[in-house]
Amino acid sequence: MNPVLGIAGYVLREAMSRKFILAFIVGITLVLSVVALSLRLDVVDGALAASRLFGEEIRASIRSVDVALRPVYMVAAFIVFYGGILFGIVACSDFAPSLMSPGRIEHLLALPIQRWHLLAGTFLGVMALALGGTLYGTTGLVLIFGVKAGYWTAGPLIAGLMACVGFAAVYAVMLTTATLVRSAALSAASGFLFLIGGVIAGFRQEISSAFEDGLSRRIFEGVTLMLPRLSSLAQAAGDIAASRPLEVRSLEALLAGVLVFGLGALAVGFWRFEGKDY
């Protein structure tokens, strides 16, 4: 077996032994069940006549289903994007520090595998968890609204995949942090900081105007230029989920920027891990 896939499987077995995957599935299933049981949609000839959530009528005007559900899909995309990344930061912060804990790391390094296999396998295992959870949740959402409203769209699935791209960049930073300090708390803290930085980077032009023209503005623009524009990616995910025109100029450039940042962060982690003495 490929060593990277072997380590990824090791991470998944670790998640399974901690009942992490079971808790993950139960949590998502509960959320989907609440949405399915509490949402009532009255659809007549492709138009939404009325909608009720937890028994309360949301809006009475008659609109076509695809237009009426746009805000719902937009909100769902934001919840999947930011909620998924936040949950991933908290839930996955301990995997890498635990793998590098004294005793375990020496055992792993004694195996006939290279050091970069450990980091690449850990990253791949965590991303497999994130991808599996995202697909499960967004597929359930598509099925619920598809059955209730008769309107089918792959927008939420695509938005979920974009959330995974954003989380990949954030977790790359967390994994690199774990090679510097074997601390789950600091690993999670670095993830939170880069998530906030990524949100600010998406609004860098609007925020930079609040600084006086000079050194402080140039420093702000220089720092945020290097960060992934996660808030712009979340907005694009929401637009796709709601079948709206994209506000960003180039989705390809945005995704490439996030991926390049993540690969750069991983490269720093590989370099640091290769030179570390255990």
Side-chain angles (χ1 to χ4, degrees):
M1 178 184 290
N2 185 293
V4 175
L5 296 180
I7 296 299
Y10 180 79
V11 171
L12 293 176
R13 289 194 296 274
E14 181 80 8
M16 185 71 78
S17 67
R18 298 182 189 179
K19 310 298 182 187
F20 175 85
I21 293 179
L22 180 61
F24 203 34
I25 294 174
V26 169
I28 295 174
T29 303
L30 284 176
V31 172
L32 292 175
S33 300
V34 169
V35 173
L37 294 174
S38 59
L39 185 64
R40 295 287 186 272
L41 300 175
D42 296 332
V43 180
V44 180
D45 295 332
L48 187 65
S51 56
R52 296 178 181 83
L53 184 63
F54 297 112
E56 297 293 331
E57 191 167 287
I58 299 175
R59 197 168 175 177
S61 60
I62 298 177
R63 294 153 294 160
S64 63
V65 173
D66 58 331
V67 174
L69 290 182
R70 279 178 181 172
V72 177
Y73 280 125
M74 178 76 80
V75 171
F78 284 137
I79 292 175
V80 169
F81 193 93
Y82 289 116
I85 291 179
L86 285 172
F87 179 79
I89 289 173
V90 174
C92 301
S93 62
D94 187 42
F95 282 118
S98 175
L99 204 70
M100 300 174 192
S101 61
R104 178 175 287 189
I105 185 63
E106 287 82 0
H107 170 71
L108 291 171
L109 292 176
L111 299 174
I113 57 176
Q114 298 183 34
R115 290 193 173 201
W116 72 268
H117 290 155
L118 288 174
L119 285 192
T122 303
F123 181 80
L124 189 63
V126 169
M127 289 312 303
L129 283 173
L131 183 63
T134 300
L135 290 178
Y136 179 63
T138 53
T139 301
L141 201 62
V142 168
L143 290 174
I144 289 171
F145 283 103
V147 171
K148 285 182 174 287
Y151 174 64
W152 298 89
T153 173
L157 281 172
I158 299 172
L161 294 177
M162 292 169 66
C164 287
V165 174
F167 177 65
V170 173
Y171 189 70
V173 173
M174 295 171 62
L175 189 59
T176 298
T177 302
T179 64
L180 301 172
V181 285
R182 290 182 291 197
S183 167
L186 290 178
S187 179
S190 67
F192 281 123
L193 285 176
F194 274 88
L195 175 59
I196 295 171
V199 173
I200 293 174
F203 298 100
R204 59 189 297 271
Q205 291 185 346
E206 294 86 345
I207 297 176
S208 64
S209 61
F211 290 85
E212 291 187 5
D213 191 13
L215 181 62
S216 60
R217 178 183 289 187
R218 287 195 291 274
I219 291 176
F220 173 79
E221 291 177 342
V223 171
T224 53
L225 182 63
M226 295 184 291
L227 295 175
R229 294 161 54 200
L230 295 180
S231 53
S232 297
L233 189 62
Q235 181 63 47
D239 290 339
I240 291 175
S243 302
R244 292 176 45 185
L246 292 177
E247 292 187 6
V248 296
R249 290 183 184 177
S250 172
L251 179 60
E252 293 79 6
L254 182 61
L255 288 170
V258 176
L259 287 173
V260 167
F261 176 86
L263 290 174
L266 278 180
V268 173
F270 288 168
W271 168 75
R272 173 61 184 161
F273 192 53
E274 287 288 342
K276 194 162 185 176
D277 184 22
Y278 289 100

